[in-house]
């Protein structure tokens, strides 16, 4: 029996998803386990896989099947899947094979070098590799922009956040900038009046790992389909059936690794609960990077730093590290809700966090649109950090523009997802609280079942079936609004 056009497409995308699975695990291994000497060969292998999948995806036959499938009788889910297939095909078809390979190789090279360049504060060495990544990213942005009739940055933004534009971002972030600096100043001033006791280490890595695993268990992580490891920069990777999360440990500091794990567990629970009934299909994938970040920030900030959850976690901390004045309940909660502007985005409190994101968004957009060059980044970074947070990064590249790996692989257009994610998370938590009047009491009892059922029903089970706008409207009754994020910050910190 002859296959329909749609069936030919689903078979092709199942094959592509299997290659993506292998690439994802090879990338995780590169970040977490691979010895340094394997870098070049692994980079070449991953580039080869990128080229292979690009060839399969951009085959003319795929375009013909899409045109044919559009005329076939499909149900709602199949129609949504076809929309996503067409989007993947069109995105890939804009890029020549040579550019796909060059970008993959340059990204692997830049990330691997960053691991030693960052501890050595070696901006000179890092910027040489970054220049090549930026050059190739600009080529990609130019090709995409010409095809779509939009700005170069918007063309890259669309990869991560479909239908989002820098004009809409400017409005959302402009609103944020109108009230966040004042809120930050007031929250900081309020907290200055209270002396807090810092937790006293050392906190052995092995015991921190045990605590992280305990938190993952509390939060419903499926250990039969995932694991926790160590990397230079925390991340969540793998596939829904095999989710890999990582953190990094500092024996003098207890909470950054723990909340890194809680953050990545939010990503992992989303992945582990994506729909399984459409294997290998784009409709099965996470909706967008901002929705993905909304889940990690929902876990880390909305839930994880709530007084009810912190209180629930405290006995596990005392059991492993012993009692000390810093773990007196009031002090411990205040310590984990303190607002203290710092250099590092992944360690930032949720009030100052958006500053790190808006700063990067403004720099990366100017970089891709050709308004600035790589050499201009450190001075701009310092200027914006001083304006937002009163901190100087002059000469301190390690804690400034070299602090993480997002730009090493050309992931320009991703950064706005973090603050969009924080906004979505606040809106979702507000809606969940309205739907679940007992939520606070449940959290205090360590019972998250109703909350996770709500997330499963409203976000997780839908994958990419709906647009981001439709998904959030279905879940909360309205499209994205920054007002819930503001209300949340004011309630918790003022």
């Amino acid at each position: 029996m002859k296959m329909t056009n749609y069936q030919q497409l689903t078979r092709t995308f199942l094959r592509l998803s299997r290659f993506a699975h292998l690439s994802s695990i090879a990338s995780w291994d590169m970040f977490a386990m691979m010895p340094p000497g394997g870098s070049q060969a692994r980079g070449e292998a991953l580039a080869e896989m990128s080229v292979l999948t690009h060839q399969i995806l951009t085959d003319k036959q795929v375009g013909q099947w899409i045109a044919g499938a559009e005329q076939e009788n499909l149900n709602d889910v199949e129609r949504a899947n076809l929309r996503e297939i067409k989007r993947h095909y069109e995105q890939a078809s804009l890029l020549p094979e040579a550019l796909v390979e060059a970008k993959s190789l340059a990204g692997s090279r830049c990330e691997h070098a960053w691991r030693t360049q960052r501890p050595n504060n070696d901006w000179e060495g890092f910027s040489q590799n970054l220049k090549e990544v930026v050059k190739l990213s600009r080529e990609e942005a130019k090709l995409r922009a010409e095809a779509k009739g939009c700005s170069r940055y918007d063309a890259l933004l669309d990869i991560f956040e479909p239908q989002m534009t820098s004009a809409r971002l400017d409005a959302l972030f402009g609103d944020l900038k109108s009230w966040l600096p004042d809120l930050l100043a007031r929250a900081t001033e309020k907290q200055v009046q209270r002396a807090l006791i810092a937790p006293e280490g050392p906190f052995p890595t092995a015991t921190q790992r045990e605590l992280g695993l305990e938190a993952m268990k509390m939060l419903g992580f499926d250990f039969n389909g995932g694991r926790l490891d160590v990397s230079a920069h925390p991340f969540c990777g793998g596939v829904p059936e095999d989710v890999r999360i990582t953190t990094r440990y500092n024996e003098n500091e207890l909470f950054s690794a723990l909340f890194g794990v809680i953050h990545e567990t939010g990503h992992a629970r989303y992945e582990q609960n994506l729909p399984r009934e459409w294997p290998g299909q784009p409709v099965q994938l996470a909706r967008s990077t901002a929705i993905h970040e909304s889940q990690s920030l929902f876990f880390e900030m909305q839930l994880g730093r709530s007084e009810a959850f912190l209180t629930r976690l405290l006995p596990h901390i005392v059991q492993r590290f012993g009692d000390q004045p810093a773990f007196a309940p009031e002090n411990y909660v205040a310590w984990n809700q303190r607002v203290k502007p710092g250099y590092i985005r992944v360690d930032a409190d949720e009030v100052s966090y958006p500053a790190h994101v808006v700063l990067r968004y403004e720099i990366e957009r100017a970089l891709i649109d050709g308004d600035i060059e790589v050499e201009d980044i450190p001075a701009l970074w310092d200027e914006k950090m001083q304006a937002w947070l009163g901190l100087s990064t002059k000469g301190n590249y390690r804690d400034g523009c070299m602090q993480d790996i997002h730009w090493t692989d050309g992931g320009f257009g991703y950064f706005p997802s973090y603050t969009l994610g924080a906004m979505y998370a606040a809106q979702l938590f507000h809606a969940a609280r309205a739907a679940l009047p007992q939520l606070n009491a449940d959290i205090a009892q360590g019972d998250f079942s109703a909350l996770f059922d709500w997330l499963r029903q409203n976000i997780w089970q839908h994958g990419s079936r709906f647009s981001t706008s439709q998904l959030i409207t279905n879940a909360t009754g309205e499209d994205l609004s920054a007002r819930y994020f503001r209300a949340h910050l004011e309630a918790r910190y003022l």
Side-chain angles (χ1 to χ4, degrees):
M1 188 177 160
K2 190 172 179 244
M3 293 175 85
T4 65
N5 290 290
Y6 181 75
Q7 286 167 336
Q8 294 277 19
L9 288 169
T10 58
R11 190 176 70 166
T12 301
F13 272 79
L14 178 58
R15 192 174 170 220
L16 284 167
S17 83
R18 287 167 177 163
F19 287 136
H21 180 158
L22 292 176
S23 289
S24 184
I25 298 300
S27 295
W28 162 83
D29 176 74
M30 182 168 74
F31 295 135
M33 306 291 275
M34 187 188 76
S39 175
Q40 186 175 338
R42 180 62 55 83
E44 288 166 358
L46 285 167
E48 192 71 45
M49 192 73 99
S50 297
V51 170
L52 175 63
T53 55
H54 187 262
Q55 286 170 344
I56 296 167
L57 180 53
T58 57
D59 191 302
K60 282 198 175 73
Q61 183 71 69
V62 174
Q64 288 161 12
W65 287 332
I66 290 170
E70 287 181 324
Q71 308 309 313
E72 290 170 355
N73 187 23
L74 305 177
N75 64 32
D76 284 355
V77 175
E78 290 166 339
R79 200 54 67 198
N81 192 40
L82 180 58
R83 178 198 71 219
E84 294 301 307
I85 284 173
K86 187 175 182 180
R87 175 178 152 71
H88 282 267
Y89 170 73
E90 288 176 347
Q91 292 273 25
S93 298
L94 296 174
L95 305 184
E97 201 176 285
L99 179 56
V100 171
E101 182 177 30
K103 197 162 176 254
S104 180
L105 284 168
S108 294
R109 203 160 43 238
C110 191
E111 187 280 330
H112 183 73
W114 169 86
R115 295 185 208 185
T116 49
Q117 288 163 343
R118 183 189 176 222
N120 294 329
N121 203 37
D122 178 14
W123 167 254
E124 218 36 62
F126 177 70
S127 66
Q128 292 314 306
N129 288 323
L130 185 62
K131 278 176 192 170
E132 182 62 17
V133 172
V134 169
K135 175 175 152 277
L136 295 169
S137 297
R138 283 174 172 173
E139 279 179 42
E140 176 184 358
K142 182 170 181 282
L143 290 169
R144 293 188 183 284
E146 284 168 356
K148 295 181 179 199
C150 63
S151 77
R152 293 181 187 186
Y153 185 74
D154 278 14
L156 296 186
L157 183 62
D158 186 63
I159 299 169
F160 300 104
E161 209 48 42
Q163 299 170 329
M164 183 56 72
T165 62
S166 45
R168 186 162 180 227
L169 277 180
D170 287 344
L172 284 163
F173 290 173
D175 174 53
L176 196 72
K177 285 167 110 170
S178 73
W179 54 262
L180 189 68
D182 178 60
L183 197 155
L184 180 58
R186 285 163 65 203
T188 311
E189 177 57 37
K190 183 183 174 198
Q191 294 189 359
V192 159
Q193 294 161 24
R194 180 177 178 188
L196 292 177
I197 304 164
E200 278 189 39
F203 305 101
T205 294
T207 318
Q208 285 197 55
R209 177 179 161 77
E210 277 175 32
L211 180 63
L213 291 168
E214 182 66 40
M216 289 165 73
K217 192 171 145 195
M218 284 171 71
L219 294 167
F221 183 89
D222 176 9
F223 287 95
N224 192 45
R227 52 182 285 146
L228 170 68
D229 291 281
V230 176
S231 68
H233 183 80
F235 71 93
C236 174
V239 292
E241 300 78 7
D242 180 8
V243 181
R244 309 296 178 95
I245 74 175
T246 70
T247 193
R248 59 186 177 203
Y249 298 102
N250 172 357
E251 296 207 332
N252 298 313
E253 209 288 313
L254 175 58
F255 294 112
S256 64
L258 176 62
F259 281 96
V261 168
I262 292 171
H263 179 99
E264 301 306 338
T265 300
H267 281 306
R269 288 299 315 275
Y270 184 25
E271 285 290 318
Q272 289 180 335
N273 285 277
L274 286 168
R276 302 289 175 93
E277 62 266 37
W278 315 311
Q281 300 309 304
V283 75
Q284 180 198 34
L285 301 173
R287 171 59 277 172
S288 73
T289 53
I291 293 297
H292 229 309
E293 293 304 338
S294 80
Q295 299 310 288
S296 58
L297 291 166
F298 190 102
F299 273 59
E300 180 194 1
M301 297 299 188
Q302 298 291 326
L303 173 61
R305 292 196 191 263
S306 68
E307 187 168 344
F309 182 83
L310 286 168
T311 305
R312 186 72 197 172
L313 198 57
L314 184 55
H316 299 283
I317 293 169
V318 172
Q319 180 196 338
R320 285 174 176 81
F321 297 102
D323 210 352
Q324 56 169 282
F327 298 154
E330 256 190 71
N331 185 83
Y332 154 79
V333 170
W335 183 263
N336 281 294
Q337 290 184 350
R338 75 197 190 287
V339 178
K340 189 167 186 278
Y343 294 104
I344 307 296
R345 174 185 60 85
V346 296
D347 295 335
D349 62 83
E350 61 182 331
V351 185
S352 61
Y353 191 99
H356 293 269
V357 176
V358 175
L359 171 153
R360 284 161 164 81
Y361 159 63
E362 291 172 349
I363 292 176
E364 72 174 16
R365 184 174 68 173
L367 194 61
I368 291 301
D369 286 341
D371 300 330
I372 62 167
E373 295 303 328
V374 169
E375 292 87 349
D376 302 319
I377 294 173
L380 266 173
W381 192 288
D382 179 55
E383 180 190 310
K384 289 175 185 294
M385 277 294 275
Q386 298 229 42
W388 269 103
L389 302 176
L391 297 170
S392 173
T393 56
K394 199 166 186 178
N396 179 6
Y397 312 110
R398 181 194 297 111
D399 296 329
C401 50
M402 285 176 69
Q403 67 181 260
D404 53 37
I405 58 172
H406 280 282
W407 287 342
T408 61
D409 67 350
F412 299 102
Y414 190 110
F415 264 115
S417 307
Y418 288 112
T419 288
L420 291 172
M423 291 175 181
Y424 283 125
Q427 191 163 329
L428 288 168
F429 205 81
H430 178 272
R433 201 187 279 113
L436 306 167
Q438 283 293 105
L439 185 56
N440 255 8
D442 287 349
I443 293 168
Q445 293 301 311
D447 180 1
F448 310 114
S449 54
L451 180 61
F452 295 156
D453 282 346
W454 188 89
L455 282 172
R456 193 175 291 107
Q457 286 168 23
N458 287 283
I459 302 294
W460 297 345
Q461 69 172 352
H462 300 299
S464 281
R465 184 173 177 179
F466 305 112
S467 69
T468 310
S469 177
Q470 189 64 57
L471 182 72
I472 207 72
T473 302
N474 291 349
T476 69
E478 62 181 297
D479 203 354
L480 178 63
S481 166
R483 77 173 186 278
Y484 296 102
F485 184 50
R486 181 178 185 174
H488 159 70
L489 294 181
E490 287 177 345
R492 181 174 283 177
Y493 297 99
L494 298 183

